[in-house]
Amino acid sequence: MARGLVAPDMEHPNGTPGHRHNGMSVLQQHAAFFDQDNNGIIYPWETYAGFRQIGFNMIGSFIMAIIINAALSYHTLPANREAFDFFGWIASKMEWGIMYLLARDEDGFLSKEAIRRCFDGSLFDYCAKVKMGGDFANKQE
């Protein structure tokens, strides 16, 4: 289970440097950014606030909050994967599209590091701190 707490790769065998996992799995860490009041439940207004913190506009944040919370509220219950899960296919494409909009570089590429940091949730904290200003981004490179 120890590896389930970090998102390792060849360059970062211990996960994101400086990112604390607080005993949570990488999926829990990914979702924890959006749990604004740390009560274990993510409401649409918390998803909206999280998207605003990482730099999305009001309209996009509102639409994504509604879609994500409506889509995941039922599907977070234990279930088996379905062969013709059209909703899952669409949701997966939307998730990658949102991550591309959030983390693409100046050349329009999505780096392996951004994807890895998305898994453990550190990408969201990073983007929120960069949006707030300061030289945080320069210290992380």
Side-chain angles (χ1 to χ4, degrees):
M1 177 64 176
R3 291 306 243 180
L5 302 178
V6 297
D9 65 6
M10 295 300 286
E11 292 83 24
H12 304 93
N14 296 317
T16 302
H19 178 68
R20 295 191 177 140
H21 58 73
N22 298 319
M24 295 187 291
S25 71
V26 290
L27 179 59
Q28 290 170 319
Q29 294 172 58
H30 177 91
F33 176 81
F34 295 96
D35 186 8
Q36 303 281 310
D37 58 5
N38 296 316
N39 68 351
I41 302 170
I42 303 171
Y43 293 101
W45 50 89
E46 292 176 306
T47 306
Y48 172 83
F51 274 110
R52 293 291 292 145
Q53 288 173 354
I54 58 178
F56 284 92
N57 65 34
M58 291 172 59
I59 296 169
S61 297
F62 178 77
I63 292 169
M64 288 184 285
I66 297 301
I67 292 172
I68 289 169
N69 282 267
L72 294 180
S73 63
Y74 176 75
H75 293 288
T76 54
L77 300 174
N80 293 326
R81 185 174 178 202
E82 298 178 24
F84 294 102
D85 181 13
F86 299 111
F87 175 79
W89 299 344
I90 294 167
S92 174
K93 299 294 184 201
M94 186 177 81
E95 182 179 18
W96 279 101
I98 291 169
M99 190 163 80
Y100 176 78
L101 291 174
L102 174 64
R104 68 178 180 246
D105 63 16
E106 54 275 348
D107 296 324
F109 293 104
L110 192 59
S111 71
K112 179 176 86 171
E113 176 67 6
I115 295 167
R116 190 186 61 74
R117 291 183 79 166
C118 182
F119 286 130
D120 71 7
S122 63
L123 177 68
F124 306 130
D125 290 321
Y126 172 79
C127 291
K129 289 176 182 172
V130 167
K131 185 176 182 295
M132 288 173 45
D135 59 350
F136 180 80
N138 295 332
K139 292 179 184 176
Q140 293 292 315
E141 299 302 326

